[in-house]
Amino acid sequence: MGLEEEIQELEDEIASTPYNKSTEAHIGRLKSKLAEKKEKLEQQSGSGGGGGYGVEKHGDATVALVGFPSVGKSTLLNALTNAESETGAYEFTTLDVYPGMLKHKGANIQILDVPGLIEGAAGGRGGGQEVLSVVRTADLIVFMVSVFDIDQYDRLSEELYQNKIRLDEEPPRVNIRKKGKDGLSINKAADLELEEETIKGVLREHGYVNADVTIGESVDIDRLVDGVMDNRVYLPSIVAVNKADLIEPDYVSTVEAELEERDIDPDEAIFISAEKEKGLDGLVERIWDELGLIRIYMDKPGRGVDREEPLILREGATVDDACEKLGGSFDERFRFARVTGPSAKHDEQQVGRDHELADEDVLRIIARR
């Protein structure tokens, strides 16, 4: 029996086994085996020397446009950036990954128009593995769905999940420290519904025999497996609903209901028309917010404050991060910095490397000669 058949057999058994306390440990072992088999299949597929899409990351952040063929990704990319992605009202127009650069608030945000995802992409259909490998490197996922096909979101999000991409959630707080003897020790920092034997069964399936395991949250089996595998990618996402210009007033409630069925707040979704270039300003602002970018205006000796080309960092960045991005010899020559702005207690506050910066701070670095 080949790996694909083994995977299908495991999936069928999981689907047909009712979940309760008496079957919990068994299902845990099955899901662990399934994760390992999928990992092995992916490694085998990747060793075949296939081409894939070699897109080099540029700019301050990368956004992946994810959608089915002909949903309008290429049109949106062209409207937002300087790219020239081929467009057409037929499926599979985009046969390669097209990057474009969105310039906003002094930041360069790379937008990737990836080939339309289809069902089975995570299993390799339609070059899906290559497409998904590009998506995994992004900083933000923008789901693009048609206003008339909101259910496309279900299939898209499932494909990403099957490719180890977890959306809008934090990594599970599962810490494993191997040891030489004494078996498995489970330390629970939260109330867990999972039985201890279920947890140990999952760990053993992944090769852990002697280890101290700390679980800091109430996880289910899937989250436990994610924490043990430790190769999942956790990304934020937003939903752009295209062709909003074609909605009739009496159809709006239907669209909102379909979004709510998928736990998408209609007020959080961005309604756009890529072709008519409507709603794009709101989409760009939302992309900016979700990426968590901040602008730092550098106070350059003899030249004053540069507000035209700010240094772009992420929320939570420190003076040390700013020095690293600036490069050069700042690291060795750094003495202290002066900050004016939202993060400072007063103008020209003297700070060290660990000072956390905020959007639109003015930063001056004092360095040794």
Side-chain angles (χ1 to χ4, degrees):
M1 184 184 295
L3 271 176
E4 292 184 355
E5 289 79 10
E6 291 179 26
I7 288 171
Q8 187 60 58
E9 192 173 87
L10 285 167
E11 288 177 338
D12 291 344
E13 186 173 355
I14 290 169
S16 62
T17 304
Y19 184 90
N20 52 54
K21 281 296 178 185
S22 63
T23 63
E24 179 185 271
H26 177 61
I27 290 175
R29 288 191 296 272
L30 290 176
K31 288 190 172 184
S32 295
K33 286 181 180 178
L34 180 62
E36 293 284 359
K37 299 285 186 187
K38 285 185 174 181
E39 191 78 7
K40 187 180 291 186
L41 180 62
E42 183 178 326
Q43 290 170 358
Q44 286 184 2
S45 301
S47 64
Y53 299 100
V55 177
E56 186 176 349
K57 293 183 73 171
H58 291 283
D60 300 297
T62 298
V63 176
L65 289 179
V66 173
F68 271 61
S70 302
V71 76
K73 298 190 310 302
S74 299
T75 303
L76 178 61
L77 181 76
N78 294 339
L80 293 178
T81 75
N82 56 1
E84 293 183 357
S85 180
E86 183 183 356
T87 61
Y90 49 90
E91 291 195 348
F92 297 99
T93 306
T94 305
L95 300 177
D96 205 342
V97 175
Y98 284 89
M101 195 65 72
L102 166 65
K103 297 182 182 296
H104 185 63
K105 294 183 177 180
N108 291 312
I109 301 171
Q110 185 181 45
I111 311 287
L112 299 180
D113 168 18
V114 298
L117 286 180
I118 58 174
E119 285 183 275
R125 286 187 59 200
Q129 277 291 345
E130 291 87 348
V131 174
L132 289 164
S133 68
V134 171
V135 174
R136 284 170 60 88
T137 66
D139 301 298
L140 172 68
I141 305 296
V142 175
F143 285 102
M144 195 167 178
V145 298
S146 166
V147 70
F148 303 110
D149 295 293
I150 302 297
D151 64 342
Q152 290 177 343
Y153 177 83
D154 301 333
R155 291 169 283 173
L156 292 168
S157 58
E158 179 61 21
E159 290 299 335
L160 296 186
Y161 186 88
Q162 292 300 327
N163 196 56
K164 305 187 288 292
I165 297 171
R166 303 294 180 257
L167 299 170
D168 305 312
E169 61 182 63
E170 294 296 319
R173 288 156 56 196
V174 176
N175 180 266
I176 303 173
R177 186 172 60 85
K178 287 184 177 181
K179 58 186 181 182
K181 57 180 181 178
D182 297 332
L184 295 169
S185 174
I186 311 299
N187 305 301
K188 296 174 284 187
D191 291 333
L192 284 179
E193 294 187 6
L194 292 179
E195 298 288 340
E196 189 162 305
E197 278 308 307
T198 300
I199 298 170
K200 288 182 176 180
V202 168
L203 289 160
R204 292 189 187 107
E205 284 294 337
H206 290 285
Y208 291 101
V209 179
N210 299 296
D212 289 324
V213 183
T214 301
I215 302 176
E217 64 177 86
S218 183
V219 295
D220 58 14
I221 290 175
D222 292 321
R223 289 273 287 171
L224 176 61
V225 171
D226 282 350
V228 174
M229 292 293 287
D230 195 32
N231 62 354
R232 279 37 176 161
V233 175
Y234 295 84
L235 298 175
S237 72
I238 58 179
V239 177
V241 182
N242 195 28
K243 304 178 183 177
D245 56 312
L246 303 179
I247 304 178
E248 296 292 339
D250 60 354
Y251 189 65
V252 172
S253 59
T254 300
V255 175
E256 291 179 342
E258 289 194 15
L259 288 169
E260 288 172 346
E261 282 177 22
R262 290 154 180 87
D263 293 324
I264 302 169
D265 186 339
D267 292 332
E268 293 293 314
I270 309 296
F271 289 82
I272 65 170
S273 170
E275 186 175 356
K276 304 291 185 183
E277 298 193 5
K278 293 183 177 180
L280 302 193
D281 289 345
L283 175 60
V284 170
E285 282 299 323
R286 183 67 182 283
I287 288 173
W288 172 270
D289 291 341
E290 290 296 329
L291 286 172
L293 299 177
I294 61 173
R295 296 156 290 178
I296 305 300
Y297 303 121
M298 299 304 301
D299 187 350
K300 300 177 179 179
R303 289 178 286 174
V305 179
D306 182 359
R307 297 184 182 273
E308 297 300 315
E309 296 184 7
L311 184 69
I312 303 297
L313 300 172
R314 296 297 179 93
E315 289 176 354
T318 63
V319 171
D320 195 45
D321 295 318
C323 290
E324 183 178 340
K325 187 158 186 178
L326 287 167
S329 60
F330 281 113
D331 192 43
E332 302 91 17
R333 296 168 53 228
F334 180 87
R335 290 175 58 204
F336 59 90
R338 294 195 182 279
V339 178
T340 299
S343 77
K345 295 178 180 177
H346 53 80
D347 288 353
E348 294 283 312
Q349 180 186 351
Q350 181 174 320
V351 299
R353 290 175 178 270
D354 60 350
H355 177 80
E356 187 173 313
L357 298 165
D359 188 35
E360 297 199 273
D361 272 346
V362 174
L363 173 66
R364 178 154 54 99
I365 295 174
I366 312 300
R368 299 181 183 88
R369 293 186 180 276

